[in-house]
Amino acid sequence: MQGHTPQSVADAAAVATLLQIGAEIGADQVLDSGGTFSAARMAKAADVPLAGITTYLTALLAAGLIVETEVPGDFQVAADYSDLRHQAGYVSWAMHANGPFIDNARAFLIDPVEAARTHRRDGQRVAVSSRWIGERAFYPQIVERVVAAGALRVTDLGAGAGGLLIKLLHEHPARTATAVDSNGAACAAAREAAHAAGVHERLTVVERPIESLVDDPGPVAGAEAILACYVMHDIVADDSTARNVLGALRDALRPGGFLAVADAVSYAQGPEERKFSALFTYLHATFMSVSLPTEQEWLDKFEKAGFSQTRTVPIGLPGGRLFVATG
Ligand SMILES: C[S@@+](CC[C@H](N)C(=O)[O-])C[C@H]1O[C@@H](n2cnc3c(N)ncnc32)[C@H](O)[C@@H]1O
């Protein structure tokens, strides 16, 4: 990896595995809460024996991922925990979330349709690693835009566990938000997270496919900002669906509002992004039957749907772009 020492690569691999073990046992909620915690509290939250958690915490402490507090037996995450978790997200997504694709690569290359039916990824693993990446790579740029525009009615399409909207709800007490996702588990996770964050009264969660907004735009009607992060590539592959869905979003926006789409472009060639972008593009094409648009093809899709201006903003995810469409 250019610009990275073997030590930093070893660090990212080690942190990814340690944190992924935490996610698998349900201890990530405790680590990510930002508060202090004891081994007993983590054992209760994860519903595993105290002895197992004690040895897990010994490893996290030795790695410098957590530190002891002034209260004996209490811990908190280290100051650089979220930076390390962000780097780990790339390793977890690439190697772990995509594990079924890697393990069954031969089957996918022989009969991709049949292999895709049989070898599915674990949605929870995809969502967790995506959040670790997204929280640093593109949530901040979107939050900044929504806040700068003073948008108080916001809808997030393919909202997953609702992390981006919860951040936005924390930013302004008068803001209301709608999360749309076709996956029941993602919707349940968003409701749970909104309750835990105390913003559930201002968040509506709608379990529906984005495509259904063409016939019933209720969840986006009158929104000042419509967001869609790493979900539109599934929808815009077909030209007429792209025109219909993006056109419906444009029509539904309040005058002066904007559509912000964070997504990937096909085989980005920048020196710092080409490797991750190549993996992302290849996995989508061969293992998920999704052909990613180039940057120009994305821009054409917004124009064909009637948006008069689309700006491309770089984001921190290699091969990713933020498209802000208006008019
Ligand atoms: C890669 S995740 C991204 C989650 C979130 N936007 C983020 O950036 O962290 C994609 C999400 O879109 C949802 N999704 C995929 N296709 C969808 C569709 N056609 N309609 C609604 N949601 C969809 C999935 O259930 C998943 O929660």
Side-chain angles (χ1 to χ4, degrees):
M1 285 165 91
Q2 254 174 359
H4 290 261
T5 62
Q7 187 218 329
S8 66
V9 178
D11 282 358
V15 172
T17 309
L18 286 167
L19 295 190
Q20 193 67 57
I21 290 168
E24 295 295 322
I25 61 172
D28 57 330
Q29 309 278 3
V30 176
L31 290 168
D32 294 351
S33 71
T36 63
F37 58 88
S38 63
R41 197 183 131 213
M42 186 178 275
K44 186 159 184 268
D47 192 23
V48 295
L50 182 61
I53 290 296
T54 304
T55 51
Y56 177 59
L57 290 181
T58 301
L60 295 189
L61 194 60
L65 282 165
I66 60 169
V67 292
E68 284 168 310
T69 68
E70 283 166 7
V71 178
D74 268 10
F75 305 93
Q76 64 187 37
V77 294
D80 57 356
Y81 172 80
S82 47
D83 289 334
L84 294 166
R85 187 183 55 186
H86 172 60
Q87 289 164 16
Y90 288 100
V91 181
S92 281
W93 184 82
M95 298 295 296
H96 190 63
N98 292 307
F101 297 162
I102 302 168
D103 293 347
N104 301 286
R106 175 171 288 277
F108 276 92
L109 267 61
I110 293 170
D111 184 348
V113 176
E114 180 52 30
R117 251 197 297 270
T118 319
H119 307 296
R120 292 179 183 276
R121 296 187 301 174
D122 178 319
Q124 176 85 1
R125 289 176 185 165
V126 175
V128 167
S129 54
S130 298
R131 179 168 57 82
W132 291 353
I133 295 172
E135 269 173 355
R136 276 293 159 95
F138 55 85
Y139 287 9
Q141 288 91 328
I142 293 178
V143 170
E144 191 183 297
R145 265 171 183 74
V146 172
V147 170
L152 294 181
R153 284 194 60 189
V154 182
T155 300
D156 189 11
L157 307 176
L164 177 55
L165 288 180
I166 290 169
K167 263 189 205 314
L168 283 167
L169 290 172
H170 278 309
E171 288 283 336
H172 200 301
R175 183 168 286 130
T176 56
T178 305
V180 178
D181 203 291
S182 54
N183 183 283
C187 290
R191 285 191 192 97
E192 214 171 280
H195 265 277
V199 295
H200 53 285
E201 286 179 359
R202 293 186 283 131
L203 179 70
T204 306
V205 180
V206 181
E207 186 179 333
R208 264 176 57 175
I210 293 166
E211 293 86 334
S212 73
L213 297 171
V214 174
D215 293 324
D216 173 10
V220 280
E224 292 158 281
I226 301 175
L227 319 174
C229 304
Y230 282 83
V231 64
M232 276 297 175
H233 55 247
D234 286 340
I235 289 160
V236 299
D238 173 72
D239 273 344
S240 82
T241 311
R243 223 181 359 257
N244 290 339
V245 172
L246 295 175
L249 300 180
R250 180 184 167 275
D251 294 345
L253 275 171
R254 182 170 291 193
F258 66 90
L259 167 67
V261 173
D263 221 306
V265 300
S266 179
Y267 287 120
Q269 281 301 293
E272 309 82 25
E273 57 180 358
R274 63 187 298 183
K275 289 184 177 57
F276 191 77
S277 176
L279 173 70
F280 199 91
T281 308
Y282 172 64
L283 285 178
H284 277 77
T286 299
F287 299 82
M288 295 179 252
S289 303
V290 172
S291 180
L292 295 176
T294 62
E295 188 169 321
Q296 188 56 52
E297 284 167 347
W298 273 108
L299 294 172
D300 292 345
K301 287 176 193 296
F302 292 110
E303 193 183 340
K304 280 186 189 149
F307 286 98
S308 57
Q309 197 195 7
T310 305
R311 288 195 308 120
T312 308
V313 180
I315 56 174
L317 205 162
R321 304 286 184 273
L322 175 61
F323 298 102
V324 184
T326 50

